[in-house]
Amino acid sequence: MNKIVFNKVKITPSKVVCIGRNYIEHIKELNNELPSSMVFFNKANSSITDKLMMPKIDSACHYEAEISFLIEKDEIVGLAFGLDLTLRDIQTELKNKGLPWERAKSFDASAVFSNFVEFKDDISKLGIELFINNELRQKADFSMMIHKPKDIIKEFKTFSSFEDGDILMSGTPKGVGKLIKGDIFLGKILYENRVILEQEFIVS
């Protein structure tokens, strides 16, 4: 089972819970419809990694930067910078056929995380930035989320459960694009516009 690091201790999430279409501008850039209710999908434990790698599957792979939360007893106890990797061509084909997204979303090493740090402050003051080769590609904050993390947790619990150590990925803002081998990613989590966590990844 794959592990994450939280406060320098390794723990094993059972799954990654993801919410799709949670930023208006991202919905527009992919020409998607605004959903009438929250869109959930899960990534398996086998998708979790701390390395950013090109997938083995021959398909265009997009990065999606997300504020990612560690859950214990149905509460947020920590956070990390996360990347939800998506096989976009495969996802589009599956969506057009009305089929599930697992092949495009839950492949091995498709959920990339920095180390997790303890966080019990006001999540409404959080923001995220992604730089690729020193160019700002994605930037957003809590106010831009359609559904807020605590509401997402509450809704998910109406049909499923969080195990202690599970991860919630809270959606991606506009600016997604193709993963290219050799690119240097710098992910940042901000609190009151001050960087509280950052991690560099090199696409291998």
Side-chain angles (χ1 to χ4, degrees):
M1 297 286 282
N2 293 332
K3 300 181 183 297
I4 59 171
V5 177
F6 175 50
N7 286 344
K8 300 181 180 179
V9 176
K10 292 183 178 180
I11 61 176
T12 306
S14 74
K15 61 184 175 294
V16 181
V17 176
C18 306
I19 182 151
R21 304 184 187 181
N22 203 27
Y23 289 84
I24 292 291
E25 294 303 318
H26 175 60
I27 293 172
K28 291 179 180 178
E29 77 175 338
L30 295 186
N31 295 315
N32 287 324
E33 293 182 2
L34 180 66
S36 58
S37 59
M38 296 186 198
V39 177
F40 286 98
F41 60 93
N42 288 354
K43 288 177 178 271
N45 172 274
S46 58
S47 69
I48 295 170
T49 183
D50 60 359
K51 296 177 175 58
L52 183 53
M53 300 175 286
M54 297 293 295
K56 298 176 182 178
I57 303 167
D58 185 19
S59 174
C61 183
H62 280 196
Y63 59 82
E64 300 183 4
E66 310 201 12
I67 303 174
S68 303
F69 297 99
L70 184 65
I71 308 298
E72 288 183 2
K73 296 180 174 60
D74 296 328
E75 298 289 340
I76 293 169
V77 296
L79 58 74
F81 175 88
L83 289 164
D84 166 18
L85 301 186
T86 303
L87 300 176
R88 190 68 71 197
D89 294 341
I90 293 176
Q91 186 195 32
T92 298
E93 181 181 355
L94 293 169
K95 286 194 300 185
N96 289 340
K97 294 180 178 179
L99 297 173
W101 299 355
E102 277 82 358
R103 285 181 178 269
K105 284 287 193 178
S106 191
F107 55 94
D108 288 353
S110 63
V112 186
F113 298 106
S114 68
N115 288 345
F116 282 74
V117 297
E118 186 174 0
F119 187 83
K120 296 182 179 179
D121 294 319
D122 184 356
I123 62 173
S124 71
K125 297 178 181 180
L126 289 173
I128 188 170
E129 294 179 346
L130 170 63
F131 293 82
I132 302 178
N133 301 326
N134 295 318
E135 179 185 347
L136 181 62
R137 296 289 185 88
Q138 290 188 273
K139 180 179 176 63
D141 58 45
F142 175 94
S143 69
M144 299 166 69
M145 294 180 184
I146 300 170
H147 305 292
K148 310 308 184 188
K150 291 183 179 179
D151 295 328
I152 297 170
I153 292 169
K154 183 178 179 180
E155 179 65 19
F156 184 77
K157 287 173 59 184
T158 65
F159 65 91
S160 190
S161 302
F162 286 98
E163 302 294 334
D164 286 352
D166 282 352
I167 300 165
L168 171 64
M169 300 190 82
S170 59
T172 195
K174 69 175 182 178
V176 304
K178 287 186 178 180
L179 203 64
I180 299 174
K181 190 172 183 179
D183 277 356
I184 300 173
F185 281 55
L186 180 62
K188 300 182 180 183
I189 300 294
L190 298 86
Y191 182 75
E192 294 183 322
N193 295 315
R194 175 176 58 87
V195 176
I196 59 170
L197 185 159
E198 67 178 25
Q199 179 89 23
E200 182 179 277
F201 306 90
I202 300 177
V203 184
S204 62

